[in-house]
Amino acid sequence: MSTLQSQTALGLLGRDFLGLMDYSPEEIRYLIDLAIELKSKNKAGEVYQPLKGKTLGMIFEKSSTRTRVSFEVGMYQLGGHAMFLSRNDLQIGRGETIHDTAQTLSRYLDGIMIRTFAHKTVIDLARYATVPVINGLTDFAHPCQALADYMTVLEHKGKLEGLKIAYIGDGNNMVHSLMIGAAKLGMHMAVASPEGYMPDQEIQASSREYAAASGGSLLVTTDPKEAIADADVIYTDVWASMGFEEEQKVREKAFANYQVNEELTAYAKKDYVFLHCLPAHRGEEVSAGVIDGPNSIIFDEAENRLHAQKAIMAALMS
Ligand code: CP
Ligand code: NVA
């Protein structure tokens, strides 16, 4: 049975993809394996179109380079069509409810991808939509990115279980999804954030629970050196996420000792890989030497957004 054929057995058809929390370790691993299979088909020039005749609506309330382009290209490669819907073009921008929007869009579309601010908007959209809803980033989570990230680590390291991933920086949407993923996949995760910018307490508690079951672990500290010690994977993200731009100056002060640079990476394993979801700010959360250096795999990571999201769409919508 090919990876794709086993999707029905796993019951992924028709599901939403709102966060890694809702997916079992087996389902997450299945999606990663499917992404790798679809990537190799793509590299071999094999045409594979299980979504012929299907349309994905893509609602964007925030900017995007990677998410928009990779979903649109991915849908095209799978034989379907993707439609870009900005907040300004939709009636939600003028106050139409999420309920009515979800119900209406479900009559036309086969799936909805949404990037928005409040996580509740995505939960509500999924509650009222009758087609799969995919979370393309909220203030709380970025699960498509985390899936592509773990796929990338697997490709470079040959395994996930037992590896140590260190995240240095803001306790934001990105680290939340990475924490849940690491804990479910049996990885050891260490997070270093300044006081006041720690990851969500409930995410910490859930991660510890998942890690106890998978053989992984979670450390949350304010000390970047402690977090990065002997790490196989180093990850960082911007200090001020979308929607927090006005806090930029305050955050620059709070995060001044949290830059991932050559001095800090010296504490990691020699063969560490560096990841960043992008967009990046060289000279802030990461030095140019690290992000553009030999251990950085950021563009493999960016490419894998395409393959990982094709796996999600093929599994949920075909
Ligand atoms: N990493 C990521 O989601 O990038 P975009 O904001 O460009 O979509
Ligand atoms: N944490 C960042 C991720 C961007 C992909 C943000 O939300 O802006």
Side-chain angles (χ1 to χ4, degrees):
M1 197 157 58
S2 85
T3 322
L4 192 64
Q5 283 164 336
S6 62
Q7 82 190 41
T8 326
L10 277 169
L12 295 182
L13 269 179
R15 290 258 298 269
D16 298 313
F17 188 79
L18 308 186
L20 295 182
M21 199 93 100
D22 308 329
Y23 280 69
S24 69
E26 295 71 31
E27 289 167 342
I28 295 171
R29 191 49 206 250
Y30 165 81
L31 288 171
I32 292 174
D33 290 343
L34 178 58
I36 291 170
E37 188 177 322
L38 295 182
K39 182 175 182 174
S40 75
K41 275 187 201 296
N42 180 256
K43 300 283 177 200
E46 196 183 314
V47 176
Y48 177 67
Q49 303 195 317
L51 298 185
K52 237 187 177 133
K54 308 238 175 186
T55 305
L56 177 80
M58 307 188 299
I59 302 174
F60 279 93
E61 300 201 286
K62 289 178 175 175
S63 308
S64 171
T65 296
R66 281 144 288 270
T67 306
R68 181 193 171 168
V69 176
S70 57
F71 265 106
E72 193 161 333
V73 170
M75 198 57 192
Y76 173 74
Q77 289 182 359
L78 292 169
H81 173 68
M83 189 180 281
F84 177 75
L85 305 163
S86 85
R87 182 186 171 81
N88 297 339
D89 303 328
L90 290 170
Q91 295 286 12
I92 32 175
R94 295 181 54 250
E96 186 167 19
T97 64
I98 291 292
H99 172 273
D100 292 358
T101 304
Q103 287 276 324
T104 304
L105 290 180
S106 297
R107 301 292 176 108
Y108 309 127
L109 300 168
D110 303 285
I112 303 169
M113 194 286 306
I114 176 166
R115 165 168 288 197
T116 188
F117 294 86
H119 194 68
K120 187 177 180 301
T121 305
V122 175
I123 305 275
D124 288 346
L125 189 74
R127 178 174 304 141
Y128 303 125
T130 56
V131 296
V133 171
I134 299 170
N135 178 359
L137 180 147
T138 65
D139 288 343
F140 191 65
H142 196 3
C144 291
Q145 179 71 54
L147 191 72
D149 296 336
Y150 289 125
M151 170 192 178
T152 312
V153 173
L154 180 63
E155 285 179 329
H156 280 266
K157 293 286 181 192
K159 64 171 186 174
L160 292 170
E161 218 172 291
L163 292 183
K164 176 173 179 183
I165 171 167
Y167 176 94
I168 313 294
D170 188 22
N172 61 14
N173 47 7
M174 201 55 256
V175 76
H176 290 161
S177 294
L178 289 171
M179 283 164 70
I180 298 294
K184 292 205 171 193
L185 293 163
M187 299 174 77
H188 302 291
M189 178 140 196
V191 179
S193 308
E195 289 295 356
Y197 298 94
M198 293 279 177
D200 180 79
Q201 288 294 340
E202 278 180 35
I203 295 281
Q204 291 191 37
S206 305
S207 298
R208 290 210 162 84
E209 233 171 78
Y210 298 138
S214 72
S217 63
L218 174 69
L219 167 79
V220 180
T221 171
T222 53
D223 181 0
K225 288 194 180 99
E226 184 188 9
I228 214 165
D230 290 321
D232 301 283
V233 182
I234 301 173
Y235 204 114
T236 190
D237 187 13
V238 291
W239 290 340
S241 286
M242 289 181 280
F244 296 84
E245 289 85 355
E246 75 285 358
E247 296 179 18
Q248 176 68 28
K249 286 281 162 254
V250 179
R251 284 169 173 263
E252 277 173 24
K253 283 204 184 79
F255 287 95
N257 296 323
Y258 290 78
Q259 185 186 79
V260 176
N261 53 31
E262 290 81 342
E263 193 194 326
L264 193 59
T265 55
Y267 292 87
K269 290 217 178 94
K270 286 274 161 292
D271 63 347
Y272 78 86
V273 288
F274 174 80
L275 287 96
H276 189 310
C277 56
L278 305 177
H281 295 105
R282 287 167 177 77
E284 289 185 30
E285 74 273 10
V286 62
S287 67
V290 169
I291 195 169
D292 300 320
N295 299 60
S296 174
I297 54 171
I298 54 167
F299 297 115
D300 289 344
E301 179 188 9
E303 177 187 335
N304 282 343
R305 292 292 303 281
L306 170 67
H307 310 297
Q309 287 152 198
K310 281 174 71 179
I312 295 168
M313 292 189 288
L316 271 45
M317 293 167 59
S318 71

